Amino acid sequence: MDTAPAAKASDQAITPPKRRALLFLVLPPALWLVCFLVIPYLSLFFQSFLSTNDIGDVVLEPTLDPWKSFFTKDLYRDTLLYTFKIAAMVTALAVLCSVPLAYFIAFKVRRYKELLYSLIIVPLWVSYIVRAYAWKIILGREGILNSALQWAKITDAPVEAFLYSEWAIILGLVHIYTPFVLMPVYTAFEQIPRPLVEASKDLGAGRLTTFFRIVLPLSLPGLIAGGTFAFVLTLGDFLAPVLLGGTNNLMISNVVQNLFGTSNDRPLGSVVGIVLLVVVVLLLESTSRAERAFASLETGRGRFGGAR
Amino acid sequence: MRRFDLPTFLVGSAAAAVLAFIYLPMVVVVVYSFNPESVNVFPMRGFSLRWYQQLFENDELLAALRISVLIALGGTAIGLLLGVPGAIALARHDFPGKRVLERVVLLPLTLPGIVTGVAMLSFFPLIGVPVSLLAVLIGHGTFLIAITLTQVYARLKRLDPSLEEASADLGAPPLTTFRRVVLPNIKTAIIGSALLSFTLSLDEIPVTFFLIAGDNTLPIQIWAMMRRGISPEVNAISTLVFAGSIALILLGTALGGRDKESLH
């Protein structure tokens, strides 16, 4: 029986010395995570039902007001919908960028495969802030793009519209998050058994047919995993909208940031935070049904482990 | 050379365009860090190291770098001290609450950093940890446990448990088995996760943003400089950060030797 050794191992796991060893191993990390992670998340939830006094301090008076304001004010619903829109566009564009590059490296490259593979890994190690900043100096009013256009005599005054626009946020985020999509898409392409592709061609399917009916469906889990990365990362992003979008294109995470900062309404900020958390959890649950790899211990993927 | 093939050419061009899209902005930052002027004009007129020189005279930035390195070292240590035992427990033992622990440990990686940040900001002061570098350190340690744990867990899952059983059967006490059988086999995963942790901590913003008070870490300081206005000084520090990341990857690859899994 295949299961016998496993059952035996777990029987052994409850002998007293093993139990002591287990406690020694598991207690410190478990206690740390409960104190510094689980209880903080719970306290965020409780805080969303509390009131604030005149100076904005949270007081222990239960109320549903923060939840009521969230569900009755247009600002929150509109910002959430706007954030979904941006996240959907970033996801679509990042997937669109990833497919040809990943496909080319997986199927067409032979000699420099290792090198090209490294090239798509490196950006994952390059600082977020540096990459957001790059777009600021390219797109800015006195940026490189504007001065290049004037140098080439295409325009004679700087174009204001490049930076601080919705497109600047999208461009920046697609640039920052495409490597997170590239990795799972590339892995998915690599794992497609080559005989299947050859069989499709042998049976007379054209290249496009083979791509759309064999390669793409088989790589769907990778595309879903990558797309989920891009979507979730965009939902949580609050720096790019400020750096590249200016003051008129704020996203849901900026609302959280402002409520915990300048507006100092922590209960309402907690409501928005909890809503964001619930949205992300529901999203991850539904996509992981289609694609088990996301956030599994085996691969250690996520915001950071992401595709590394 | 293969014969010219239009579809392959088109896919290749698209691939090259995407690669350019990913790299060009970073190249621009590096190139313009040598800009002699303070505005980023095209074409660049000349070459200068003045921004690097200014960088080394910028006390705020140097202090931020020092703080970042200290937080990253401390956070990595917390991650290793708690993550490695956690990984062994999850990979080799059955215990009540195992499924819950598996899910909880991944939360700081899967949930948006801003949610984790405001949750910590709301609770830490209640247990006597006000916003401070200590709070930042605890915050970083918490997500770095997850990094180490996932990397080491993945390695342990591929390591045959019968090796450890054989060692135990031959009379080795658990610590000896760990030191002489398990540790050599997970060494590269530990080194890899330490380097990964260090790099991620150096770059972390969302959690740090809410827990910091006064002293800035490097990315927060860069962000503050950026909001004050564009300066090629930021290009210069960005280039150094970029070079540092590459150095860490190379170091990781060299230490990992042939075992590539440790970093990827």
Side-chain angles (χ1 to χ4, degrees):
Chain A
M1 289 286 274
D2 281 351
T3 52
K8 195 172 149 245
S10 66
D11 286 346
Q12 285 173 348
I14 50 174
T15 59
K18 275 232 169 184
R19 176 177 291 174
R20 215 175 314 134
L22 176 63
L23 283 181
F24 171 74
L25 289 172
V26 86
L27 225 46
L31 281 178
W32 180 286
L33 292 172
V34 168
C35 287
F36 299 129
L37 197 67
V38 177
I39 300 179
Y41 284 133
L42 291 176
S43 81
L44 194 69
F45 181 72
F46 285 122
Q47 189 170 254
S48 73
F49 296 100
L50 296 180
S51 328
T52 51
N53 63 17
D54 301 340
I55 53 166
D57 284 337
V58 179
V59 287
L60 274 173
E61 277 171 39
T63 172
L64 283 173
D65 288 350
W67 286 91
K68 277 185 196 146
S69 1
F70 179 82
F71 283 108
T72 50
K73 284 183 188 159
D74 288 347
L75 168 77
Y76 302 111
R77 192 197 52 215
D78 292 349
T79 311
L80 199 58
L81 290 177
Y82 178 72
T83 307
F84 283 145
K85 188 186 100 179
I86 298 280
M89 287 166 86
V90 169
T91 304
L93 288 169
V95 170
L96 224 62
C97 284
S98 299
V99 168
L101 181 53
Y103 180 86
F104 190 76
I105 299 175
F107 286 96
K108 299 289 174 189
V109 175
R110 286 201 180 81
R111 275 184 66 189
Y112 297 107
K113 206 167 187 160
E114 285 277 300
L115 175 72
L116 281 166
Y117 177 76
S118 313
L119 278 179
I120 62 175
I121 300 266
V122 166
L124 290 170
W125 289 73
V126 177
S127 170
Y128 171 99
I129 201 84
V130 169
R131 298 207 276 147
Y133 170 76
W135 288 102
K136 217 171 150 78
I137 65 166
I138 292 171
L139 300 175
R141 190 175 181 280
E142 286 167 358
I144 292 153
L145 182 60
N146 261 323
S147 84
L149 287 176
Q150 285 170 70
W151 174 77
K153 305 259 187 300
I154 295 171
T155 56
D156 39 49
V159 179
E160 304 273 355
F162 292 145
L163 193 62
Y164 303 132
S165 66
E166 192 178 311
W167 280 105
I169 306 180
I170 293 172
L171 198 63
L173 289 179
V174 171
H175 175 246
I176 291 166
Y177 295 138
T178 293
F180 287 86
V181 186
L182 265 170
M183 285 306 305
V185 173
Y186 174 79
T187 310
F189 283 153
E190 271 296 307
Q191 282 168 352
I192 293 174
R194 295 303 186 266
L196 283 179
V197 180
E198 281 153 32
S200 166
K201 286 179 181 163
D202 287 348
L203 291 168
R207 278 199 268 196
L208 275 180
T209 313
T210 303
F211 179 76
F212 283 107
R213 300 196 58 178
I214 307 291
V215 175
L216 210 54
L218 285 173
S219 62
L220 215 52
L223 289 172
I224 294 172
T228 311
F229 281 139
F231 200 89
V232 169
L233 290 166
T234 305
L235 289 185
D237 202 298
F238 63 103
L239 296 173
V242 171
L243 291 173
L244 306 172
T247 46
N248 295 324
N249 296 290
L250 295 184
M251 293 178 15
I252 197 69
S253 295
N254 298 104
V255 173
V256 179
Q257 178 206 347
N258 290 340
L259 286 169
F260 273 88
T262 44
S263 342
N264 196 22
D265 186 345
R266 290 191 177 192
L268 187 52
S270 305
V271 172
V272 186
I274 294 292
V275 169
L276 184 57
L277 184 149
V278 169
V279 167
V280 168
V281 168
L282 288 179
L283 199 75
L284 293 178
E285 278 301 316
S286 52
T287 54
S288 72
R289 275 167 209 282
E291 203 286 302
R292 294 296 313 169
F294 189 88
S296 82
L297 276 172
E298 313 288 341
T299 53
R301 286 173 176 164
R303 180 163 64 100
F304 299 109
R308 281 188 173 94
Chain B
M1 261 326 262
R2 271 177 293 171
R3 215 152 37 84
F4 178 77
D5 172 55
L6 187 65
T8 304
F9 175 76
L10 289 177
V11 175
S13 310
V18 173
L19 210 56
F21 169 64
I22 293 173
Y23 275 90
L24 224 51
M26 297 189 255
V27 171
V28 164
V29 170
V30 174
V31 168
Y32 275 84
S33 71
F34 301 107
N35 186 2
E37 293 162 272
S38 56
V39 282
N40 298 301
V41 288
F42 181 89
M44 207 166 83
R45 294 184 281 258
F47 174 93
S48 153
L49 288 174
R50 65 184 271 211
W51 303 109
Y52 287 90
Q53 195 191 340
Q54 242 179 61
L55 207 63
F56 291 109
E57 290 157 6
N58 185 332
D59 293 335
E60 269 181 326
L61 206 59
L62 293 177
L65 175 65
R66 197 163 51 239
I67 287 169
S68 266
V69 169
L70 287 176
I71 295 279
L73 287 174
T76 303
I78 293 171
L80 291 177
L81 285 174
L82 298 175
V84 175
I88 295 171
L90 286 175
R92 291 289 186 263
H93 295 270
D94 271 326
F95 53 90
K98 180 172 164 165
R99 295 267 156 255
V100 181
L101 183 62
E102 276 180 6
R103 297 197 69 114
V104 165
V105 76
L106 288 167
L107 288 178
L109 302 188
T110 48
L111 294 180
I114 188 167
V115 177
T116 308
V118 294
M120 289 175 168
L121 167 69
S122 300
F123 183 68
F124 282 10
L126 299 180
I127 48 170
V129 186
V131 286
S132 60
L133 289 181
L134 178 64
V136 174
L137 177 66
I138 295 174
H140 281 218
T142 305
F143 72 78
L144 296 179
I145 292 173
I147 296 290
T148 310
L149 197 148
T150 48
Q151 304 270 322
V152 175
Y153 177 92
R155 178 64 54 88
L156 282 168
K157 275 286 160 184
R158 289 198 304 270
L159 181 66
D160 190 350
S162 57
L163 286 174
E164 292 146 62
E165 280 157 27
S167 166
D169 287 348
L170 290 169
L175 267 180
T176 309
T177 301
F178 175 74
R179 201 165 45 85
R180 304 198 51 179
V181 179
V182 181
L183 197 58
N185 278 296
I186 61 172
K187 198 177 73 192
T188 52
I190 292 178
I191 295 170
S193 62
L195 286 166
L196 185 57
S197 300
F198 188 78
T199 318
L200 291 173
S201 172
L202 279 186
D203 191 35
E204 212 284 338
I205 301 174
V207 170
T208 315
F209 181 87
F210 291 100
L211 300 178
I212 203 122
D215 324 274
N216 285 343
T217 59
L218 189 61
I220 305 273
Q221 181 65 28
I222 294 176
W223 192 48
M225 288 168 72
M226 236 185 252
R227 299 199 70 183
R228 282 203 293 264
I230 295 273
S231 147
E233 211 176 340
V234 181
N235 293 353
I237 182 70
S238 299
T239 303
L240 292 182
V241 170
F242 182 60
S245 318
I246 303 283
L248 279 174
I249 308 181
L250 293 176
L251 183 67
T253 320
L255 286 174
R258 296 173 61 83
D259 196 346
K260 293 201 182 73
E261 289 299 321
S262 59
L263 268 176
H264 298 165

